[in-house]
Amino acid sequence: MRLRFYYWGLVIVWHSLLLVAAYFLLHETYYWFMLAQLGLLLSLVFAYRVYRHFRRPLDLISGGKSALQDRDFSVKYRLTGAREVDALVATYNNMIDTLREERTLLQEQHYFLRKLIEASPSGILIMDYDGNITETNPAARQIIGFDPSSSDEEHPLLSAAFDLALGDSLPIIIEGANHYRLEVSAFIDRGFQRKFVQIQTLTGEILAAEKRAYGKVIRMMAHEVNNSIGAINALLDTLTVSEEEIDEQWVIDVRESLPIASKRNHQLNVFMRNFADVVRLPDPQRERIDLSQVLPQIATLFQAQAQQQNTSFRLGYLAGRVPELPLLKSEVGSRKSEMIPPSQFISADSNQLEQVLVNVVKNALESVSQDGEVQLILTERPRQIIIADNGPGLNQEAAAGIFTPFFTSKPNGQGIGLTLVREILTNHDYQFSLATDEDGWTRFIIAL
């Protein structure tokens, strides 16, 4: 308004002065005086057109300002044909399109976030710049029991939430049974930081984890008991004969077998007692043990089971540097165990190492059919214990999941044995592998 007033005031004053000057200078000459008046009229027309030319952008700016003030991003202008004005119109229209798209995107994101917060299973407390709770979601109201944004009631979770600093995480137990975790984060609102607190309910997860842990331990304990008792029962069954079959050799076999069964029962008792003392597998209690005594005892423990299923079970020692895929070169079908040289000492937990060998040898015997063969080999360089069998081998699925907890390919298996084997050998820092090689033999190799 002020610009238009100044402009027309200047035009009127300027043309009035020109008209007065023309009158005093040209009034005696009628022709020139009329010509001067025509020139002034044309000047006024030109001034009006100039006014229209620069007024149009001002009208556009004024209309755009009103639309922006009203947050109306649907108002756009048409091109006028004037280059300068059209440039302004194009810029304004592009700006309006950008603002409309960004506003739509922000509204959609805001709507999505609101829905996400409302549907979140975790409780969420949103605070203002002063740390007061302004918004909550349904999960938070359900956990706390009331809406803290509209109530001054106290609650242990609220007290803990107010005391936490940005980035902190705090587990909290209420009434001895309800487990929660509080985590504090922040977001930027209009250039300033605001905190929000997540309340995660852990009660159900903790109970489920405890149940899984108890179930795993119980199944593992039952599995180990069954493994050892099965081998011991098979050994004892071979000693059950009629009075006519009792001879000197039978007495020798009894004297040799019963101490081994008794020792295995004692070690199994120790193993089970350790599980009762702690939930996890006990750390290995390393001692100096002689493999020349341990391996023959394992062979004797399973010799009866091998005989019952007509399987060749061989125990042997390979001195010097051994081939990549070692096997015992003894007579096929022989059940006589080769001697293990003395003084093969290692540092290990004897109970846990025997438990490993019991599991692996039992699996090897179960994998072979009648007339199959299982070998228990000790190699010198490199020092390894190898349990090999010529059963059907591992298929692709079994090879991928053989050490996965509770994975089993047996109809009545529990998937515990090799999991326990893996944990024991890992705790001993022993490298191990299980694979079916190109020659058709499946080998479990323990690098000592």
Side-chain angles (χ1 to χ4, degrees), residues 230-245:
I232 293 172
N233 287 339
L235 179 63
L236 295 178
D237 287 343
T238 62
L239 305 179
T240 306
V241 297
S242 62
E243 294 183 1
E244 292 79 8
E245 295 177 318

Side-chain angles (χ1 to χ4, degrees), residues 154-328:
E154 295 184 357
H155 193 277
L157 289 176
L158 298 179
S159 301
F162 289 133
D163 295 336
L164 288 177
L166 182 63
D168 286 350
S169 177
L170 175 69
I172 183 171
I173 302 176
I174 299 178
E175 297 177 353
N178 298 320
H179 297 254
Y180 303 95
R181 178 181 296 278
L182 303 182
E183 294 184 1
V184 181
S185 302
F187 64 99
I188 301 300
D189 180 16
R190 286 170 284 188
F192 296 93
Q193 183 174 271
R194 291 177 59 182
K195 294 197 309 182
F196 69 94
V197 181
Q198 287 182 281
I199 307 174
Q200 299 178 357
T201 304
L202 305 179
T203 304
E205 297 177 6
I206 290 176
L207 292 178
E210 289 178 351
K211 185 176 181 180
R212 289 193 299 269
Y214 293 147
K216 179 180 179 181
V217 171
I218 292 172
R219 292 172 65 182
M220 188 179 297
M221 294 169 69
H223 180 271
E224 296 312 311
V225 170
N226 293 334
N227 276 0
S228 295
I229 289 180
I232 293 172
N233 287 339
L235 179 63
L236 295 178
D237 287 343
T238 62
L239 305 179
T240 306
V241 297
S242 62
E243 294 183 1
E244 292 79 8
E245 295 177 318
I246 297 177
D247 54 15
E248 184 178 351
Q249 182 60 43
W250 183 87
V251 174
I252 294 174
D253 291 341
V254 169
R255 289 177 178 175
E256 180 182 355
S257 301
L258 289 182
I260 294 175
S262 177
K263 179 183 177 184
R264 185 61 211 153
N265 278 336
H266 172 72
Q267 291 177 340
L268 181 61
N269 182 48
V270 172
F271 186 82
M272 300 301 294
R273 189 166 57 246
N274 287 335
F275 265 101
D277 292 338
V278 292
V279 175
R280 63 182 180 85
L281 180 71
D283 292 332
Q285 303 298 315
R286 292 180 180 269
E287 57 182 340
R288 196 166 182 257
I289 62 175
D290 189 355
L291 294 177
S292 64
Q293 297 180 9
V294 174
L295 297 187
Q297 291 175 1
I298 297 297
T300 301
L301 185 64
F302 285 98
Q303 196 67 252
Q305 180 178 342
Q307 290 177 358
Q308 289 178 358
Q309 65 183 55
N310 196 29
T311 298
S312 173
F313 189 108
R314 300 177 185 169
L315 170 67
Y317 171 75
L318 298 177
R321 186 167 297 279
V322 298
E324 184 178 356
L325 302 175
L327 284 173
L328 298 176

Side-chain angles (χ1 to χ4, degrees), residues 365-402:
L365 286 172
E366 291 177 349
S367 68
V368 299
S369 58
Q370 288 191 357
D371 300 325
E373 185 174 350
V374 175
Q375 297 187 1
L376 177 58
I377 308 170
L378 176 63
T379 64
E380 182 179 19
R381 287 187 299 168
R383 177 173 285 183
Q384 297 175 333
I385 297 176
I386 301 174
I387 299 95
D389 70 80
N390 61 353
L394 301 174
N395 56 37
Q396 185 175 1
E397 179 185 3
I402 194 68

